[in-house]
Amino acid sequence: MSPSSVVGYAARAAGSALEPFTYEAPALGDQDVRVSVTHCGVCYTDVHAIDDDYEVFSFPLLPGHEIVGNVSEVGRAVSGPKLGDRVGIGWQGRSCMRCEWCLQGEEQLCQDIAEAGTWTPYGGFSCSVVVDGRFAYPLPQAMPSEVAAVLMCAGISVYSPLRAYAAAVPASTKVGIVGVGGLGHLAIQFARALGCEVTAISSSPGKEQEARAFGADHFIAVGDTAAMERAEYGLDLLLCTTHCGIDWRPLLMTLKKNGRLVLLSFPRLALGSVDLVSHQLSITGSFIGNRKTMRDMLAFAQEHHILPRVELMPMSQVNEAIRRVRENQARYRIVLVNDMAV
Ligand SMILES: [Zn+2]
Ligand SMILES: [Zn+2]
């Protein structure tokens, strides 16, 4: 039965703290499912959205897009998830299914992507969400919900480019993971499981031990000029997972000729063109992943024991969780457990 109203946590204005927020339960379209949220991860993209860094959101804004929950209602035309199923939902909650990209199975590139976010109209820091049932993914039974939650955005965001660019290279690809945080600690694990030789690159020298424990073969602290010079021309692929300031020239010098830099986050770009052109480097953005890659990623993560390191917090402490993410204090991902009366 449809609830008449839903409770969640929303920012009333750009940059403001999240407050309890009651809204009218969205009606279900034919392809939609309603999912009772049990867990929701906190992603740095939520912080960008709350701060209105993209200037595309309207407020009140109810973020949250690393969701796990149980299907509580299904639309008339839904053929996948069934009532009571435990599902995961990521950044994308729907797509037009008609544009050239959707027809190719690249739904993350949908022409209507601005309308496709799970937080349209309301996201996962809430008792329930409504999304297209084709974007609610069944989860492996043995996978803990907090693990699945983190995989829904951080996991797919790193797995998709590794599959596309690292696994496509026949010999053992040498991959550099820039940033050992929420995305980076997962990228190290996935890259290692895909057979890559992994170099973790971090501005925090103190993260070396943990980076190696996640599976990194090598570690470079960005301030270590000698180590950066020794790494020159060594890597096939660089995955940039950090939003912090980056000194791009020494970083790009770690790429082999014809190497590729993939941006997963939104750091400021200040690149010289000379090395880029003369070394024939490529720079690529990568945005979440399509539905097929999401299903592959979940199966691969389960098979290879990919385990995000998660701090659990009650959803009622969402502002404290956001503060910790904003200040880079999360180790390595925070997942909120819904403690609201449903
Ligand atoms: Zn995210
Ligand atoms: Zn589309």
Side-chain angles (χ1 to χ4, degrees):
M1 209 181 76
S2 306
S4 55
S5 63
V6 184
V7 184
Y9 292 95
R12 305 250 171 203
S16 71
L18 271 57
E19 300 169 29
F21 175 68
T22 303
Y23 57 94
E24 192 179 336
L28 231 59
D30 286 352
Q31 290 284 358
D32 288 347
V33 291
R34 196 181 313 276
V35 174
S36 293
V37 177
T38 59
H39 297 73
C40 190
V42 182
C43 176
Y44 207 92
T45 310
D46 294 315
V47 177
H48 282 305
I50 293 165
D51 291 347
D52 204 18
D53 289 341
Y54 314 122
E55 297 181 347
V56 293
F57 295 107
S58 53
F59 288 80
L61 172 76
L62 200 162
H65 61 273
E66 285 189 341
I67 300 165
V68 170
N70 301 306
V71 176
S72 60
E73 195 179 347
V74 293
R76 285 185 304 180
V78 171
S79 58
K82 297 185 178 47
L83 212 58
D85 283 358
R86 188 179 67 129
V87 293
I89 300 162
W91 187 94
Q92 187 167 16
R94 55 193 70 248
S95 79
C96 82
M97 297 288 181
R98 291 186 306 272
C99 73
E100 62 174 312
W101 301 104
C102 285
L103 293 175
Q104 289 174 42
E106 299 281 6
E107 302 89 359
Q108 82 283 12
L109 301 177
C110 177
Q111 297 289 5
D112 293 340
I113 196 67
E115 306 300 317
T118 291
W119 51 41
T120 306
Y122 302 110
F125 298 160
S126 181
C127 283
S128 67
V129 290
V130 172
V131 296
D132 186 315
R134 292 168 288 193
F135 290 85
Y137 301 89
L139 300 173
Q141 209 176 0
M143 183 178 278
S145 291
E146 64 273 20
V147 168
V150 175
L151 293 177
M152 297 316 295
C153 181
I156 187 66
S157 296
V158 299
Y159 179 81
S160 184
L162 283 169
R163 259 288 173 227
Y165 303 117
V169 178
S172 172
T173 310
K174 292 180 169 53
V175 179
I177 308 294
V178 185
V180 182
L183 267 66
H185 89 293
L186 274 175
I188 293 170
Q189 294 182 53
F190 274 116
R192 181 63 183 262
L194 285 164
C196 303
E197 185 178 326
V198 183
T199 300
I201 302 172
S202 170
S203 57
S204 313
K207 285 188 173 170
E208 174 164 4
Q209 208 175 358
E210 285 186 307
R212 289 186 185 275
F214 294 134
D217 301 285
H218 316 283
F219 180 89
I220 301 175
V222 282
D224 185 344
T225 315
M228 289 296 280
E229 282 174 7
R230 279 197 300 277
E232 283 181 5
Y233 301 114
L235 301 172
D236 300 290
L237 183 70
L238 270 174
L239 251 59
C240 180
T241 71
T242 181
H243 47 83
C244 301
I246 291 172
D247 187 358
W248 290 100
R249 178 134 206 275
L251 191 63
L252 285 182
M253 288 303 292
T254 64
L255 281 173
K256 292 181 189 176
K257 311 284 176 119
N258 274 341
R260 182 184 293 271
L261 166 69
V262 183
L263 297 176
L264 308 182
S265 49
F266 306 98
R268 277 188 202 288
L269 268 183
L271 300 171
S273 56
V274 175
D275 294 334
L276 206 65
V277 172
S278 55
H279 300 172
Q280 288 194 182
L281 303 180
S282 302
I283 300 179
T284 309
S286 183
F287 179 56
I288 51 175
N290 61 34
R291 291 186 298 151
K292 179 184 180 306
T293 310
M294 184 74 101
R295 290 190 289 269
D296 290 350
M297 182 276 299
L298 285 167
F300 185 91
Q302 181 66 9
E303 186 185 342
H304 294 271
H305 312 291
I306 306 292
L307 281 180
R309 190 169 299 174
V310 172
E311 292 179 42
L312 290 175
M313 292 177 70
M315 199 173 281
S316 52
Q317 289 180 23
V318 60
N319 287 309
E320 170 63 8
I322 288 168
R323 184 191 66 77
R324 288 176 58 76
V325 170
R326 196 190 286 280
E327 295 174 7
N328 280 329
Q329 290 178 6
R331 290 294 178 273
Y332 281 84
R333 202 70 162 177
I334 295 174
V335 173
L336 302 171
V337 180
N338 189 359
D339 59 341
M340 291 181 277
V342 182

